[in-house]
Amino acid sequence: MASRIGKSGIAFTRGFYIDDEIELMVLALAKAKKSNASQVVRESIVEMFKKEFGTINVRKIAKELGLL
C-alpha cells in the first residue's frame, strides 16, 4: 500500500476513499490555512493520534499494538 522513497521516510499511500463532502472540507481548510490538502490531512491525523494515545511517539505505540 505504501512505497518508501530513499531514506527520507516519506511514503505515498493510496487506497483511502474520501467522499465529496470530506474532500470539500479538506480543500476549504487548506484554503483557510493557506496550505495544501496533504498538509491538512497530515495535521489532522497527527492531532487525532495524539488525542487517542496521548503521545506522538508512533514507534512506541506501534510496538505496543504489535505492528512492529
Side-chain angles (χ1 to χ4, degrees):
M1 222 190 232
S3 59
R4 294 268 177 211
I5 298 180
K7 295 181 181 179
S8 65
I10 297 173
F12 292 96
T13 304
R14 60 181 177 262
F16 292 100
Y17 174 74
I18 298 176
D19 63 31
D20 292 339
E21 287 185 15
I22 299 298
E23 184 177 9
L24 283 174
M25 287 180 192
V26 169
L27 294 174
L29 283 167
K31 186 165 185 141
K33 294 177 70 123
K34 296 181 175 130
S35 185
N36 60 51
S38 296
Q39 185 64 28
V40 168
V41 171
R42 183 185 179 283
E43 288 175 7
S44 299
I45 291 170
V46 169
E47 184 178 322
M48 286 174 54
F49 191 92
K50 188 174 183 179
K51 188 176 182 179
E52 181 72 26
F53 298 109
T55 183
I56 58 170
N57 187 342
V58 67
R59 298 245 176 240
K60 176 184 171 216
I61 300 300
K63 284 181 184 177
E64 289 175 5
L65 295 174
L67 300 173
L68 291 178

